[in-house]
Amino acid sequence: MKPIYHYASVSEALEELNKKGFIHDFNLQDETIQNNPQNYEIEHVYRYDGDTDPDEEAVVYGITSNSGERGVYVAGFSANSESQAASVLAKLCIEGNDKQCRNYTL
């Protein structure tokens, strides 16, 4: 599936994704995402830019696992706030994993 890109506040992104059935918190699976990125498909990307403070920048991913679990992963977007799993997800968007996020740029 080609990802859908949205630009909204983090809370609006989470609310919209929740309505679409993305209810699992993938932030609790950092290590699993990091070690097995091939098991996840990024379907939605919401990016939020802080108006005045770069530390307020964030990206919200709507993700489906290969087991069918749908959920979200929220990551800070500044260089000093990324987790290893967030780096893996960003890399998926840059390199493309099964055609995911090929047009997404950081």
Side-chain angles (χ1 to χ4, degrees):
M1 166 180 242
K2 185 175 180 178
I4 301 168
Y5 305 103
H6 308 277
Y7 298 91
S9 71
V10 171
S11 61
E12 289 172 353
L14 292 173
E15 184 178 323
E16 185 173 331
L17 285 168
N18 187 273
K19 288 177 185 176
K20 293 179 179 184
F22 292 83
I23 57 173
H24 182 74
D25 183 357
F26 280 115
N27 284 81
L28 302 174
Q29 295 180 330
D30 264 3
E31 191 172 317
T32 304
I33 290 171
Q34 182 181 342
N35 295 330
N36 302 290
Q38 72 280 1
N39 293 340
Y40 300 91
E41 180 180 347
I42 299 170
E43 293 189 36
H44 299 271
V45 179
Y46 291 77
R47 182 172 170 194
Y48 178 67
D49 295 319
D51 291 333
T52 58
D53 185 355
D55 286 334
E56 293 177 1
E57 295 178 355
V59 62
V60 178
Y61 298 98
I63 301 172
T64 301
S65 71
N66 62 353
S67 65
E69 194 168 41
R70 299 174 85 196
V72 297
Y73 188 94
V74 181
F77 205 64
S78 63
N80 60 354
S81 66
E82 272 196 16
S83 71
Q84 289 295 329
S87 296
V88 167
L89 292 172
K91 187 176 179 180
L92 285 176
C93 284
I94 292 169
E95 294 178 353
N97 180 19
D98 296 326
K99 301 178 184 172
Q100 296 172 38
C101 303
R102 291 200 180 197
N103 298 317
Y104 184 70
T105 57
L106 300 176

